[in-house]
Every structure is written in C-alpha cells, then in structure tokens.
Amino acid sequence: MQPLTTADLAALTLDNVALSVTPTKTGDVVTVTMNRPERRNALSLDHMHDLIAAFEAVAQTEAVGVIVAGNGPAFSAGHDFAGHGGSRLPLHP
C-alpha cells in the first residue's frame, strides 16, 4: 500500500468524489469533511455515495484513522428527504 499523498487527495476530490466531500490529510490521519452546509450536511443518496467513495479510497492507503467532519453550522441534519420528490417511502413492519 502506498501512503495517501496530496496529489491522491486532489485526484480523489476532483475525479472520483463530487465536491460534497473534501478529504484532507494531516500526518497519518485523513479528515473527510462534508460540504453541504446549505443543507446542513443532510445525507442525500448522492452525498452518501460520495462519502462511501472517499472511505473506499482512504481504505486503500496507509492512513491510520479517519475523522468525519461537517462544514457549516451542523455536523449533519440526518437523511435528506428533499430528493424523494414526494414519493412514499416503504414502511417496514
């Protein structure tokens, strides 16, 4: 495994992960910052895919830890239902 470099983080941010997350590296630790402050970092489906892609990329490195942070006034407001367009979600008994 190769260490995560600044170039790797730049490629991850620009190529593989949408700008809803920004990974940065300090020593052996990567901070993945959620960047949807206008939605209070609520977890839309696309945002969750971005987070998963960032975690998978970091897992391929020698990072010893990951910190998840939220940009703006809230860490995360939870699930973002705005993208469901009024559709009904299935209920589980």
Side-chain angles (χ1 to χ4, degrees), residues 63-80:
V64 297
V66 177
I67 297 170
V68 180
N71 185 14
F75 170 72
S76 178
H79 192 82
D80 187 351

Side-chain angles (χ1 to χ4, degrees), residues 7-19 50 53:
D8 294 333
L9 289 171
L12 174 65
T13 303
L14 297 176
D15 297 335
N16 302 336
V17 178
L19 296 178
D50 294 346

Side-chain angles (χ1 to χ4, degrees), residues 2-91:
Q2 297 297 318
L4 191 65
T5 66
T6 303
D8 294 333
L9 289 171
L12 174 65
T13 303
L14 297 176
D15 297 335
N16 302 336
V17 178
L19 296 178
S20 72
V21 298
T22 303
T24 55
K25 182 176 180 265
T26 304
D28 291 336
V29 176
V30 175
T31 300
V32 176
T33 303
M34 298 182 288
N35 284 315
R36 297 185 69 217
E38 71 285 354
R39 300 292 302 160
R40 295 195 180 270
N41 298 312
L43 300 169
S44 68
L45 188 58
D46 287 340
H47 184 57
M48 287 187 278
H49 285 297
D50 294 346
L51 285 167
I52 291 167
F55 297 144
E56 287 175 343
V58 172
Q60 300 303 312
T61 72
E62 293 182 358
V64 297
V66 177
I67 297 170
V68 180
N71 185 14
F75 170 72
S76 178
H79 192 82
D80 187 351
F81 291 101
H84 291 286
S87 64
R88 295 188 62 131
L89 297 176
L91 298 177

